Amino acid sequence: LALRIERQTTRTWPPSTSALSVCNVPRPSCRGWSTLTCSRCVHDRWGRFVRVSRGDATFRAQASWEGNGELVQAFLDAEPEAVNAVDRSPFGGGYNALMYAAYAGHLELCQLLLRHGADVSAENDEGCSALFLAAQQGRADVVAQLLEHGADASTTVGNHGLCAVDAARGYEDVLAVIREFGPWGPPTQA
């Protein structure tokens, strides 16, 4: 199952998730609350509400990419079991929320997703894990967090046979973090 934000207006859709904020109004008084379709609601920059409900992974993926932790939390509240849901949109590539957040370097969002049970060993369509993507982008703090949660720096990616150590070439801080977390072999390709 995936999440969907239902549109309330005829303005251009979808808006950037950065224009959305989570509603803090108590249940009964918020007109966006619905026990049938959502557990929380979010408001756009004009104050209109949009419901967080089931059906479309696009907003969850976009919120993760943008580092919008408040909105990702609203999605997790609405559908906790979807923490590992895969983005199957035309350009999703099999990424999940943790992969988007790790690639973009959103440490706090990665921590949130990991607290909710995100799978550190999940792979996208190319065989890349969140660890590989974070290492590739030089995100040492995210790499450390993923390794603390059991990610394996020696796992190779798809047909290429590369691992996170290979992806971290040129990022000495990332390589130092990987070394701290235990044994790993030499880079698999010269």
Side-chain angles (χ1 to χ4, degrees), residues 25-168:
V25 177
R27 273 192 204 191
S29 48
C30 176
R31 66 186 177 122
W33 184 268
S34 167
T35 57
L36 297 176
T37 60
C38 68
S39 60
R40 305 221 17 217
C41 68
V42 292
H43 294 267
D44 66 14
R45 66 179 146 211
W46 298 284
R48 293 172 310 213
F49 77 92
V50 288
R51 285 189 201 103
V52 177
S53 61
R54 302 176 190 274
D56 181 5
T58 304
F59 278 95
R60 183 180 42 252
Q62 187 174 353
S64 297
W65 175 256
E66 293 175 357
N68 190 333
E70 189 176 29
L71 187 55
V72 171
Q73 180 65 60
F75 285 125
L76 292 170
D77 290 345
E79 193 175 11
E81 67 278 6
V83 68
N84 292 308
V86 174
D87 182 3
R88 291 290 170 207
S89 64
F91 299 102
Y95 280 61
N96 64 26
L98 182 60
M99 291 174 197
Y100 282 118
Y103 185 93
H106 301 302
L107 177 61
E108 291 172 4
L109 184 53
C110 289
Q111 292 168 335
L112 171 70
L113 292 164
L114 290 166
R115 279 194 309 272
H116 280 83
D119 181 4
V120 294
S121 62
E123 297 178 349
N124 66 13
D125 293 346
E126 298 295 321
C128 300
S129 66
L131 178 65
F132 185 91
L133 297 167
Q136 180 186 51
Q137 298 303 308
R139 315 290 190 190
D141 52 349
V142 174
V143 167
Q145 189 67 210
L146 295 170
L147 289 168
E148 285 176 13
H149 281 84
D152 184 357
S154 65
T155 300
T156 58
V157 173
N159 299 337
H160 307 291
L162 301 175
C163 66
V165 175
D166 298 305

Side-chain angles (χ1 to χ4, degrees), residues 13-33:
W13 200 258
S16 166
T17 62
S18 60
L20 301 174
S21 62
V22 175
C23 177
N24 292 320
V25 177
R27 273 192 204 191
S29 48
C30 176
R31 66 186 177 122
W33 184 268

